[in-house]
Amino acid sequence: MSKHSQSVLQILNTHVEAAFSALDLPVEYGRVVVAGKPDIAPFQCNGALAAAKFAKKSPRDIAQAVVEKLENIADIAKADIGGPGFINLTPAQSLVHTRANGLAASETTGARHAEVTKKIIVDFGGPNVAKPMHVGHLRSSVIGDCLQRLLRFRGHDVVSDIHLGDWGLQMGHLITELKYEQPDLIYFNADITEGYPTTSPVDIDDLARLYPQASIKAKEDADRMVLSRTATSELQAGRAGYRALLNHFIEVSIIALKKDFGALGVNFDLWKGEAAVDPLIAPMVAKFKADGFAEESEGALIIRVAEDSDKKELPPLILISSAGAALYATTDLATIQDRRDTLNPDTILYVVDFGQSSHFEQVYRAAGKTGLFPKKDLEHIKFGTVNGTDGKRFRTRAGGVMRLSDLLSQAKDAATKRLDEAGLAADMDATERAEIARMVGLAAIKFSDLQNVRTTNYIFDLERFTSFEGKTGPYLLYAAVRIKSLLRKAEKMGVVVGEITPEADAEKKLVLTLDSFNRALANAEEKRMPHILCDHVYSLAQAFSKFYADCHILAPETPDTVKSSRLALAALTLRQLELGLDILGIEAPERM
Ligand code: ARG
């Protein structure tokens, strides 16, 4: 990597490591990090403490020797010792200056590809055909979409797959219930095995009605449940009319889901589902049996996955139930095989709530054990639950299950209210206002989800999420819009961007924040944690705010070269802010 594309931190790191090495101390102690208390100096090295133990000297003596070595280095303005032997580091003005212009010249504002790029499948979303989506599916969609964008931005070859739930008992429910309503449909005639109509006998509203109807009946009536189970088995056994119905159900659902996910701004490369791997199941199961991995137990076929080191007992994975049905884990295993053979990924990520941890552990162990896929390359990206302001699991206002479209329109309404309160978008026509409210609402929902450490639970509170103050999506949109309006004003005034010459404290801090973008991205990727990127984008907006307050950009008294420098810094900030937001799946309006 050329020195030009290195961050200030990396350059300081090289110098400090060289100093440690010149003193015959292990270089790893020379690691530079962002300072815990940036008021003293932006960076620090804490390695003198460990090196002291190694060299059997006092930490302050070691720190002193290192500081002396750093004295004549042009990239370092100041190196001094704090506390028991921390080395505080302030980069030279010239280094910050060079780096600022390097960032401005970079199309990605300093972001780079990962050193090793891989083929990665991201399995997320996972709604179930006919069953309404719940907030777990929303979280999976928002987090999964952010991860797919992040991984792509980092240079990986990403394939996303919605992995529809379209192979369970709900299909038997639908078929049975439809038969009650329209018994004469050709699909129910067991003597006919081909020539079905190409148009669906049901639409999405029918499905939304039939499923709950059937599910309630089956709960109350054991015989009705048997009918649903039998229909499911017959479907799985390949009954042609049922298979044709299933295809209609899937097709109708995908059209509706594409609309919902489109409104959410979330895309999938593949719209496959559990049903797609049905043909692979029988041969896969036969092979597991032949290889001695699958065994009979109480009428079912299972794979034992428990390990001696388990603290909690992990039950065996059930491949085929005693009723002869392929289950959730079975379709997941067959899907791994399908993905392996058609896409040959290095890694598969599953963005699914915490509640399914045991399921994935069973599937991953079975995949590893049977030689289907290396267990270490299957990752469960877990997330916590969403609760309502009442502390209970989140439900919509009506108390029922969530509909994505309802949720989005609620967010838009809340955003409209907030825009009114803040006096924003006041001079716009109704269409533009509505469009802005839509973006603000989406930003509110997505950012408030992504900014949490994904493994924790959070409280769904549209009121708070849509606020223009604090760590929220709307605040970030406002920050971006403010810079856009500044750029428009500068253009009118004929001010053009020029070389960035950071002088003021707020300018230097802003440059160093901009310079930490690549680190945030790398870190977010490594940990699969979107909140790390949220933190960066938020710090960036805050650093810009401080700069904007402290440094007058277009004021008459500001010299022209300084105007151009500050304008360039603002333009650079906007580019990075929008890049960061885009990776989070958030879009900013031009004005508001
Ligand atoms: N359809 C499942 C559910 O609603 C989620 C699917 C997750 N992905 C997977 N490969 N199992 O719980």
Side-chain angles (χ1 to χ4, degrees):
M1 199 192 314
S2 83
K3 198 177 156 180
H4 287 298
S5 57
Q6 285 188 2
S7 67
V8 168
L9 182 130
Q10 283 172 312
I11 291 169
L12 296 183
N13 198 64
T14 309
H15 290 308
V16 178
E17 283 185 354
F20 272 74
S21 150
L23 293 165
D24 286 327
L25 298 167
V27 283
E28 60 268 27
Y29 296 141
R31 209 163 73 89
V32 174
V33 294
V34 173
K37 288 188 210 139
D39 298 340
I40 302 171
F43 301 102
Q44 66 187 64
C45 167
N46 306 331
L49 285 81
K53 274 199 196 109
F54 168 88
K56 303 197 171 56
K57 287 192 182 147
S58 94
R60 282 196 77 96
D61 286 350
I62 299 269
Q64 186 55 41
V66 172
V67 164
E68 278 165 22
K69 286 262 175 243
L70 297 174
E71 236 152 49
N72 294 317
I73 290 178
D75 287 334
I76 298 175
K78 203 165 121 196
D80 55 17
I81 306 168
F86 301 118
I87 302 166
N88 301 318
L89 297 156
T90 307
Q93 169 97 0
S94 58
L95 179 57
V96 179
H97 176 152
T98 309
R99 186 58 185 152
N101 293 290
L103 292 172
S106 154
E107 213 168 297
T108 54
T109 73
R112 292 187 303 273
H113 278 180
E115 263 151 45
V116 183
T117 54
K118 294 186 167 182
K119 174 123 191 183
I120 305 175
I121 295 179
V122 187
D123 175 320
F124 73 98
N128 300 313
V129 166
K131 287 200 220 169
M133 274 176 77
H134 55 69
V135 78
H137 295 121
L138 174 74
R139 279 213 86 180
S140 172
S141 305
V142 171
I143 297 171
D145 184 50
C146 174
L147 291 176
Q148 77 163 329
R149 288 164 185 263
L150 172 66
L151 292 167
R152 269 197 193 112
F153 191 71
R154 297 272 298 154
H156 300 285
D157 180 5
V158 177
V159 179
S160 54
D161 184 2
I162 191 165
H163 198 72
L164 291 177
D166 55 8
W167 197 239
L169 177 65
Q170 81 258 36
M171 292 304 157
H173 277 327
L174 285 177
I175 292 168
T176 314
E177 200 59 22
L178 182 61
K179 197 172 168 187
Y180 272 113
E181 287 195 356
Q182 301 187 53
D184 299 330
L185 286 177
I186 182 171
Y187 307 91
F188 301 115
N189 185 337
D191 298 331
I192 296 173
T193 55
E194 56 190 349
Y196 301 108
T198 47
T199 46
S200 171
V202 289
D203 63 17
I204 190 69
D205 295 325
D206 293 322
L207 293 184
R209 177 173 48 80
L210 291 171
Y211 174 75
Q213 224 165 272
S215 142
I216 291 171
K217 284 189 195 164
K219 257 185 211 126
E220 287 164 359
D221 174 2
D223 293 340
R224 175 66 184 75
M225 182 60 109
V226 171
L227 291 180
S228 285
R229 286 203 193 285
T230 310
T232 309
S233 308
E234 286 181 323
L235 168 71
Q236 293 199 357
R239 182 165 163 173
Y242 289 4
R243 190 70 219 202
L245 274 180
L246 173 85
N247 291 340
H248 287 310
F249 297 161
I250 294 175
E251 202 178 84
V252 160
S253 300
I254 287 182
I255 292 170
L257 286 167
K258 280 197 173 159
K259 205 166 144 237
D260 275 353
F261 279 101
L264 191 63
V266 170
N267 296 308
F268 299 91
D269 299 314
L270 300 177
W271 286 77
K272 286 187 146 185
E274 298 163 352
V277 295
D278 165 49
L280 303 178
I281 290 178
M284 179 186 79
V285 170
K287 184 161 183 342
F288 287 164
K289 255 189 184 161
D291 293 347
F293 294 118
E295 58 185 90
E296 307 271 343
S297 169
E298 296 169 37
L301 195 64
I302 61 163
I303 300 181
R304 294 194 191 279
V305 290
E307 284 166 12
D308 292 342
S309 56
D310 288 344
K311 288 192 191 74
K312 223 181 87 196
E313 196 192 316
L314 193 64
L317 174 151
I318 305 179
L319 265 184
I320 302 293
S321 75
S322 52
L327 303 182
Y328 187 37
T330 324
T331 51
D332 257 326
L333 284 170
T335 302
I336 292 176
Q337 183 183 314
D338 181 40
R339 288 171 176 166
R340 181 196 69 188
D341 296 344
T342 58
L343 300 165
N344 191 23
D346 297 301
T347 304
I348 310 178
L349 307 185
Y350 295 79
V351 187
V352 187
D353 68 280
F354 243 113
Q356 298 196 20
S357 298
S358 301
H359 163 74
F360 284 109
E361 189 57 28
Q362 289 174 320
V363 169
Y364 297 170
R365 284 189 189 182
K369 187 171 160 173
T370 57
L372 203 57
F373 204 81
K375 177 174 185 287
K376 66 166 183 25
D377 299 322
L378 299 167
E379 294 179 41
H380 182 190
I381 310 299
K382 308 173 193 199
F383 53 82
T385 55
V386 184
N387 297 321
T389 35
D390 58 0
K392 294 193 195 120
R393 214 169 224 278
F394 176 72
R395 309 233 171 241
T396 52
R397 221 170 287 166
V401 282
M402 184 194 70
R403 293 228 142 181
L404 198 49
S405 50
D406 292 346
L407 185 78
L408 296 184
S409 72
Q410 275 180 31
K412 190 172 161 187
D413 292 348
T416 308
K417 211 175 111 209
R418 288 294 195 172
L419 286 167
D420 287 345
E421 281 169 11
L424 291 167
D427 58 342
M428 294 174 193
D429 64 38
T431 326
E432 192 177 357
R433 252 180 90 77
E435 177 59 5
I436 290 172
R438 184 190 67 83
M439 287 189 199
V440 170
L442 264 183
I445 291 194
K446 289 189 180 180
F447 191 81
S448 52
D449 190 306
L450 295 170
Q451 65 134 137
N452 298 290
V453 178
R454 68 170 153 74
T455 45
T456 58
N457 303 342
Y458 75 94
I459 290 175
F460 193 89
D461 182 356
L462 268 183
E463 190 72 23
R464 194 162 54 81
F465 297 171
T466 50
S467 169
F468 279 97
E469 277 154 41
K471 197 174 174 182
T472 67
Y475 166 78
L476 294 167
L477 294 196
Y478 185 69
V481 163
R482 188 161 66 164
I483 306 178
K484 290 185 188 190
S485 108
L486 172 81
L487 298 186
R488 278 195 299 269
K489 190 168 162 205
E491 197 180 343
K492 275 205 196 106
M493 290 169 65
V495 180
V496 287
V497 296
E499 186 178 346
I500 303 175
T501 50
E503 300 272 345
D505 216 34
E507 289 177 305
K508 287 188 222 160
K509 281 197 176 132
L510 177 55
V511 173
L512 292 180
T513 307
L514 286 158
D515 194 26
S516 66
F517 187 37
N518 190 62
R519 272 200 304 283
L521 292 168
N523 220 339
E525 173 191 332
E526 192 203 335
K527 304 204 168 75
R528 325 291 197 206
M529 289 282 195
H531 80 271
I532 297 173
L533 179 57
C534 293
D535 287 349
H536 175 78
V537 172
Y538 182 62
S539 322
L540 181 63
Q542 283 185 308
F544 182 82
S545 241
K546 179 85 176 103
F547 157 72
Y548 190 77
D550 286 11
C551 304
H552 297 168
I553 304 174
L554 299 175
E557 71 275 12
T558 307
D560 282 351
T561 51
V562 177
K563 271 188 194 140
S564 292
S565 159
R566 290 180 177 167
L567 186 66
L569 199 47
L572 167 62
T573 303
L574 176 64
R575 271 204 297 136
Q576 189 173 96
L577 189 57
E578 287 204 298
L579 266 178
L581 288 172
D582 186 57
I583 298 170
L584 296 171
I586 296 173
E587 187 190 359
E590 281 313 299
R591 48 183 212 139
M592 62 189 189

